[in-house]
Amino acid sequence: MEADGFVRRRRMTAETTGNDPGVAGASAGAEVRWLGGRFWGVSETIVGSLSPRIGGETELQTVDCNRSAQDAQTEDSEPDYEGLPQGASTSTHMWAGAVAGIMEHCLMFPIDCVKTRMQSLQPAPAARYRNVMDALRRIIATEGVWRPMRGLNATAVGAGPAHALYFASYEKLKKTLSDAIHPGANSHLANGTAGCVATVLHDAIMNPTEVVKQRMQMYNSPYRGVMDCVRAVWYKEGPGAFYRSYTTQLTMNVPFQALHFMTYEYLQELLNPHRQYNPSSHMMSGALAGAIAAAATTPLDVCKTLLNTQESLTLHSLSPSQGPGQGQGQGAHRQISGLAHAFRTVYRLGGLPGFFKGVQARIIYQMPSTAISWSVYEFFKYGLTKHQHNKRRSQ
């Protein structure tokens, strides 16, 4: 790309110098010789063989040759796209990750609302939907146009710092582990391991946000707003309620992100082997990686949603099993805690199909979500690093 831009600038200069044939010929000669100088050991042969045909004065040719060599050296000192992220600062990864995370969650939030409702084990009659579009239509028609956006502000506040830490730690660990495991080449083991560690840090920030968001997304949510939800959960269930699903979320997200990152990097090797900035390949790789990882981890996502929402109809349906005279035990079932308890509850109320409730909405949500995330992240990472590189060069 840089070479093409250089050649075009040379052509424009040749065409605008008063249409002087001598100057134009010298500029054309410089263009051809500059391209020849890019190939080691061939430049002198190309220049020597083409000079008689091009014409132009010897002095101009010598000056242009020297200038071309300097330009080529300058161009060689400028890294390609794959080289840019290697020198990117941690702040670049954090800024790019924060913007990518906020855009990903905000743009796909209505579908996330539908996914949460479709994963309900005991939905109210008015909250039983045939598919994603039916759910969106009915939510907007019966509850208002802004209902699918409830909890968006909490998500945006959490997504920025969570994704900043997520992408920065992933990039740092991926490079460190790749150099140790397979120097100079891509390592799927390094990608998967870096993704797992990044997920642990990401979820530590994002888990309380998920609790608030999903409780506000549920049908007939009793909370007036984000702060009302935070206060109610804090006073009624204690601060531990914000991390009740943390182990479940890690159990889901660690394999999800390992599969996600490994698939993304593998598809990049196929679709973008030279690792240039290619928005279409980033988008395609991100979408496919998100879809595969989402489908594989849906059962764990159903359990996570149950732990986060503690939906009342599900809790009431568990109470009769305690039998008469067991009021204290019945009270213990007023909350579902732990992954094993969530698994038993899902299987008891929904059987094996219950573990895949909302799988369609989850895939529809994750495909564009991961495509947006990777596209925005790669764009800002490239733009910010390029700006920093040009700033250093100008100094």
Side-chain angles (χ1 to χ4, degrees):
M1 291 172 60
E2 297 288 339
D4 291 341
F6 182 87
V7 171
R8 283 195 292 271
R9 289 195 297 272
R10 289 294 186 121
R11 286 177 180 156
M12 290 173 63
T13 305
E15 291 170 2
T16 56
T17 11
N19 295 323
D20 186 351
V23 176
S27 299
E31 172 191 333
V32 174
R33 286 190 297 279
W34 184 86
L35 288 172
R38 299 290 288 174
F39 300 94
W40 179 260
V42 184
S43 59
E44 293 182 0
T45 306
I46 294 178
V47 172
S49 61
L50 293 181
S51 292
R53 301 179 199 174
I54 295 171
E57 300 175 40
T58 307
E59 185 177 351
L60 280 173
Q61 290 177 356
T62 305
V63 172
D64 283 338
C65 280
N66 293 334
R67 188 179 302 155
S68 299
Q70 292 173 358
D71 290 339
Q73 187 176 0
T74 303
E75 294 292 329
D76 287 337
S77 67
E78 189 169 323
D80 57 10
Y81 172 67
E82 185 60 20
L84 285 172
Q86 301 297 331
S89 63
T90 302
S91 62
T92 298
H93 295 304
M94 294 186 77
W95 275 110
V99 174
I102 292 171
M103 288 189 66
E104 167 198 348
H105 283 282
C106 290
L107 291 176
M108 298 306 301
F109 197 82
I111 306 298
D112 185 50
C113 175
V114 171
K115 175 188 75 74
T116 299
R117 293 200 180 191
M118 293 184 75
Q119 287 179 337
S120 174
L121 295 175
Q122 297 287 310
R128 293 175 182 169
Y129 312 111
R130 294 190 302 272
N131 51 51
V132 175
M133 292 310 298
D134 175 58
L136 271 178
R137 280 196 302 268
R138 289 174 57 185
I139 291 171
I140 292 173
T142 60
E143 303 176 49
V145 68
W146 295 110
R147 186 69 181 189
M149 306 302 289
R150 287 199 81 204
L152 175 62
N153 47 351
T155 299
V157 169
H163 280 74
L165 189 60
Y166 174 71
F167 277 109
S169 57
Y170 170 72
E171 293 282 2
K172 178 67 175 176
L173 285 169
K174 181 181 76 169
K175 184 180 186 307
T176 303
L177 294 174
S178 293
D179 291 343
I181 296 171
H182 198 175
N186 185 40
S187 169
H188 294 302
L189 177 60
N191 298 334
T193 305
C196 292
V197 175
T199 300
V200 173
L201 300 174
H202 167 273
D203 287 356
I205 299 175
M206 204 66 186
N207 204 88
T209 300
E210 285 285 313
V211 173
V212 174
K213 177 199 74 173
Q214 291 195 312
R215 293 200 179 205
M216 296 192 67
Q217 288 174 334
M218 294 301 293
Y219 179 73
N220 272 343
S221 173
Y223 309 106
R224 295 188 302 273
V226 170
M227 293 310 299
D228 178 51
C229 180
V230 171
R231 281 193 298 268
V233 173
W234 183 280
Y235 289 123
K236 292 180 182 177
E237 303 175 45
F242 293 104
Y243 283 94
R244 184 181 289 129
S245 66
Y246 184 54
T247 54
T248 303
Q249 185 143 320
L250 285 180
T251 307
M252 175 190 73
N253 280 346
V254 165
F256 174 90
Q257 296 298 352
L259 185 58
H260 170 212
F261 279 114
M262 290 170 68
T263 305
Y264 177 82
E265 298 288 353
Y266 173 73
L267 290 171
Q268 280 292 285
E269 288 182 353
L270 296 179
L271 301 176
N272 189 15
H274 300 296
R275 295 304 181 99
Q276 298 174 337
Y277 174 61
N278 188 337
S280 60
S281 76
H282 299 316
M283 188 174 294
M284 181 67 69
S285 300
L288 291 175
I292 293 170
T297 57
T298 295
L300 291 164
D301 191 49
V302 172
C303 294
K304 183 206 76 171
T305 299
L306 178 61
L307 287 168
N308 278 344
T309 58
Q310 300 287 315
E311 49 183 306
S312 57
L313 288 177
T314 299
L315 297 176
H316 287 315
S317 68
L318 295 174
S319 299
S321 65
Q322 304 302 309
Q326 296 184 3
Q328 190 153 1
Q330 183 175 347
H333 263 290
R334 289 295 180 180
Q335 288 183 1
I336 298 170
S337 59
L339 180 58
H341 192 182
F343 259 101
R344 289 196 301 270
T345 303
V346 172
Y347 183 74
R348 177 181 166 189
L349 297 178
L352 287 177
F355 289 102
F356 289 91
K357 289 178 73 70
V359 64
Q360 179 194 34
R362 179 165 162 79
I363 293 174
I364 291 174
Y365 167 78
Q366 284 293 348
M367 283 189 72
S369 178
T370 48
I372 291 168
S373 180
W374 278 111
S375 300
V376 173
Y377 173 69
E378 296 285 0
F379 170 77
F380 276 92
K381 182 175 73 173
Y382 177 80
L384 289 170
T385 310
K386 185 75 171 175
H387 174 72
Q388 290 177 358
H389 179 77
N390 290 337
K391 190 176 180 180
R392 283 196 298 267
R393 281 189 59 193
S394 64
Q395 292 173 350

